[in-house]
């Protein structure tokens, strides 16, 4: 099933997925656990941290800024240990640019972390990250008093010139983005007064749930979040639950592979993250979530899913897209096997991910003979129940981890082997994806 070349062969499973499994720690929560612990005073103890390329970028970044990170690999592949933060002393001036690799979360949140300190830090990344928009982050931070160079720069590399005289603001975000929201709130921790961010539809709320664990005073509602400053974060203990975005790929595989029946344990069931479950339910899939407890304020539990037979198309409204923004590629593949047309409303945000995921979806579905098109900002997929793949279809992951797993599942659930270019990009979020699939067979 797996080889070491740039082009990986994925063969049809031919047998159902059965049994119980877990997925790696949540990527969004892992980033925040590292960054917030680095900002805090004292020693934080964290476990369940995702060991992936993106999270390693956050670890390397805070180490260059003076945090002491001692995380060790665990038997389940996660990281656990301690982070000693810089607290009221602040980060140190690094002697070189901070390279965030492919991690947009690291780069964007780091701008908020650096905002209240009088340092000059250049933030950069790989070629893909250097094409992703940063103006959405720099614009509100400039209103708070932060300067960026070159002036008006939209893309990385960007140099952050922080200030100890941050102004609290009330900001109406032009788009729903948890990264934008988090950067503003992190800067707001050091501003005098209350900093508020309002957004057009709800985005992931991990920051609002986690900051109180570090002693910050936050408020959160459906489309607004605020933080009261000045506030010094204090070390705490955190456990990172499983990543629902990773669980989505196993869930969709079980939906598509005949006679499958699996249980995914210890998954974050944050309502801002499990929109894919609700979408699959509307398509007729047999999916059930069971709450088991909470890690801090993050709910977790199990996702139970069985092969669903006949699926039907549905419409996902624009206000629900932020809850499935990382799952649109795999949901579009499920839609390709469904009866009727599935519509994803207002998905332009997917054009500025690790790659242009809209163009990649259209290209990939076109390779297997599925009609998919854009009408304005809306993505349409016309499904074909009983879809048959042509032998040796070659998908291009474009070095995007979500696309690599999506096209792998096309092969696993299909009738013929496929090739996936640069499949190794799965290491960004789910390094052992194929191994977990194999264990379930």
């Amino acid at each position: 099933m797996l080889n070491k070349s740039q082009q990986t062969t994925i063969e049809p499973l031919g047998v159902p997925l059965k049994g119980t499994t877990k997925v790696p720690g949540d990527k969004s929560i892992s980033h925040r656990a590292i960054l917030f612990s680095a900002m805090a005073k004292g020693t934080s103890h964290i476990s369940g941290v995702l060991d992936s390329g993106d999270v390693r970028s956050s670890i390397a970044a805070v180490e260059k800024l003076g945090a002491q990170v001692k995380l060790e690999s665990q038997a389940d592949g996660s990281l656990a240990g301690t982070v000693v933060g810089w607290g009221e002393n602040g980060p140190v001036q690094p002697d070189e640019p901070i390279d965030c690799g492919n991690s947009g979360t690291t780069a964007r949140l780091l701008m908020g972390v650096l905002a209240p300190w009088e340092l000059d830090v250049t933030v950069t990344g790989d070629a893909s990250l250097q094409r992703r928009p940063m103006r959405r982050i720099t614009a509100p931070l400039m209103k708070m008093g932060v300067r960026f160079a070159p002036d008006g720069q939209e893309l990385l590399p960007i140099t952050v010139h922080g200030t100890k005289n941050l102004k609290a603001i009330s900001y109406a975000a032009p788009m729903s983005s948890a990264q934008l929201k988090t950067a503003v709130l992190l800067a707001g921790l050091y501003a005098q007064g209350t900093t508020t961010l309002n957004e057009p539809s709800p985005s992931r709320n991990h920051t609002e749930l986690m900051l109180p664990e570090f002693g910050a005073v936050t408020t959160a509602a459906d489309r607004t979040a605020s933080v009261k400053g000045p506030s010094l974060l204090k070390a705490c203990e955190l456990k990172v639950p499983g990543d629902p975005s990773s669980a989505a790929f196993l869930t969709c595989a079980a939906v598509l592979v005949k006679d499958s029946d699996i249980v995914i344990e210890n998954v974050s069931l944050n309502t801002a993250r499990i929109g894919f479950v609700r979408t699959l339910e509307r398509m007729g899939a047999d999916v059930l979530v069971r709450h088991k407890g909470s890690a801090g304020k993050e709910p977790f539990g199990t996702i139970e899913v069985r092969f669903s037979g006949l699926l039907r198309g549905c419409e996902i409204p624009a206000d629900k897209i932020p809850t499935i923004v990382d799952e649109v590629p795999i949901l579009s593949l499920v839609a390709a096997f469904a009866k009727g047309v599935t519509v994803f409303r207002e998905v332009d945000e997917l054009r500025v991910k690790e790659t242009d995921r809209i163009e990649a979806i259209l290209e990939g579905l076109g390779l297997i003979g599925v009609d998919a098109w854009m009408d304005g900002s809306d993505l349409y997929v016309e499904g074909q129940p009983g879809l048959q793949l042509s032998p040796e279809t070659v998908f291009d992951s474009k070095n995007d981890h979500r696309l690599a797993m999506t096209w792998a599942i096309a092969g696993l659930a299909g009738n013929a082997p496929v090739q996936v270019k640069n499949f190794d990009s799965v290491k960004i979020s789910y390094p052992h994806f194929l191994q977990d699939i194999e264990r379930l067979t």
Side-chain angles (χ1 to χ4, degrees):
M1 187 182 294
L2 180 64
N3 62 47
K4 298 298 183 181
S5 69
Q6 288 295 92
Q7 195 161 291
T8 300
T9 301
I10 307 292
E11 298 179 358
L13 285 174
V15 295
L17 299 168
K18 297 279 188 179
T20 299
T21 190
K22 294 181 180 180
V23 291
D26 185 271
K27 186 157 74 79
S28 295
I29 298 175
S30 294
H31 279 299
R32 287 160 174 78
I34 296 295
L35 292 168
F36 299 0
S37 295
M39 296 169 65
K41 179 180 181 179
T43 302
S44 294
H45 297 260
I46 54 179
S47 60
V49 174
L50 171 66
D51 188 359
S52 75
D54 271 16
V55 175
R56 290 273 180 181
S57 291
S58 283
I59 293 172
V62 298
E63 286 181 325
K64 284 185 177 180
L65 292 168
Q68 300 173 36
V69 182
K70 295 183 179 179
L71 298 178
E72 297 181 353
S73 296
Q74 306 300 299
D76 62 1
S78 68
L79 297 172
T82 61
V83 178
V84 181
W86 52 69
E88 66 266 47
N89 295 324
V92 299
Q93 174 70 49
D95 56 10
E96 61 184 359
I98 293 182
D99 187 346
C100 300
N102 189 243
S103 179
T105 302
T106 304
R108 288 169 172 158
L109 269 57
L110 203 58
M111 292 181 185
V113 171
L114 293 168
W117 305 103
E118 293 180 345
L119 305 174
D120 297 329
V121 181
T122 299
V123 179
T124 189
D126 66 12
S128 171
L129 186 55
Q130 289 185 30
R131 293 192 296 268
R132 298 179 68 179
M134 296 294 156
R135 182 72 179 175
R136 60 182 60 183
I137 308 298
T138 60
L141 293 181
M142 284 191 292
K143 290 180 179 292
M144 301 179 77
V146 184
R147 292 186 300 111
F148 296 91
D151 187 39
Q153 179 81 345
E154 167 69 15
L155 303 175
L156 297 179
I158 292 175
T159 299
V160 184
H161 303 283
T163 176
K164 290 185 177 180
N165 299 311
L166 285 175
K167 304 170 187 173
I169 61 170
S170 181
Y171 186 71
M175 76 285 292
S176 296
S177 166
Q179 294 174 355
L180 162 58
K181 176 171 60 177
T182 301
V184 172
L185 294 180
L186 292 182
L189 287 170
Y190 292 84
Q192 190 70 44
T194 299
T195 295
T196 301
L197 185 133
N198 301 305
E199 50 190 355
S201 58
S203 64
R204 297 178 181 182
N205 62 350
H206 300 304
T207 295
E208 300 95 297
L209 295 179
M210 188 182 292
L211 281 178
E213 299 293 305
F214 287 90
V217 178
T218 64
T219 59
D222 191 39
R223 292 183 292 114
T224 186
S226 64
V227 63
K228 186 177 181 181
S231 177
L232 176 64
L233 300 186
K234 299 178 178 62
C236 69
E237 184 171 334
L238 292 171
K239 184 175 183 180
V240 179
D243 194 323
S245 294
S246 295
F249 290 92
L250 299 184
T251 300
C252 290
V255 166
L256 295 176
V257 176
K258 188 176 180 181
D259 296 330
S260 293
D261 185 351
I262 67 172
V263 177
I264 309 169
E265 297 181 324
N266 190 39
V267 182
S268 168
L269 298 181
N270 186 309
T271 54
R273 297 294 304 284
I274 57 171
F276 75 91
V277 172
R278 306 307 170 209
T279 300
L280 290 171
E281 288 173 340
R282 294 181 64 195
M283 298 177 80
D286 187 356
V287 186
L288 178 67
V289 298
R290 296 185 187 275
H291 288 261
K292 299 292 185 179
S294 62
K297 294 186 177 181
E298 290 282 351
F300 69 86
T302 62
I303 298 176
E304 302 173 13
V305 55
R306 299 176 182 82
F307 171 71
S308 305
L310 183 62
L311 299 167
R312 58 182 179 272
C314 69
E315 179 176 331
I316 301 94
D319 65 341
K320 300 301 181 185
I321 293 299
T323 71
I324 62 166
V325 67
D326 284 335
E327 292 77 52
V328 171
I330 185 59
L331 290 172
S332 69
L333 179 67
V334 175
F337 287 85
K339 181 179 180 180
V341 175
T342 297
V343 186
F344 300 88
R345 298 290 185 192
E346 297 186 22
V347 291
D348 282 338
E349 179 68 14
L350 272 73
R351 292 196 181 277
V352 292
K353 290 294 187 178
E354 284 82 339
T355 188
D356 184 338
R357 286 181 178 165
I358 294 296
E359 287 302 317
I361 289 169
L362 297 178
E363 176 187 303
L365 294 183
L367 289 174
I368 57 177
V370 173
D371 287 333
W373 65 95
M374 287 293 290
D375 184 358
S377 298
D378 302 335
L379 170 64
Y380 289 75
V381 179
E382 185 171 359
Q384 298 180 29
L387 176 66
Q388 298 290 300
L389 276 62
S390 300
E392 299 304 315
T393 300
V394 179
F395 293 104
D396 188 352
S397 75
K398 304 183 187 297
N399 288 305
D400 186 314
H401 54 129
R402 310 288 184 197
L403 293 171
M405 289 186 282
T406 294
W407 304 137
I409 288 174
L412 294 168
N415 59 291
V418 303
Q419 303 286 328
V420 181
K421 293 181 179 178
N422 297 309
F423 181 79
D424 277 357
S425 59
V426 299
K427 294 176 180 177
I428 290 172
S429 63
Y430 199 163
H432 306 296
F433 167 67
L434 280 185
Q435 290 90 328
D436 284 355
I437 289 284
E438 289 171 344
R439 278 193 287 271
L440 288 169
T441 60

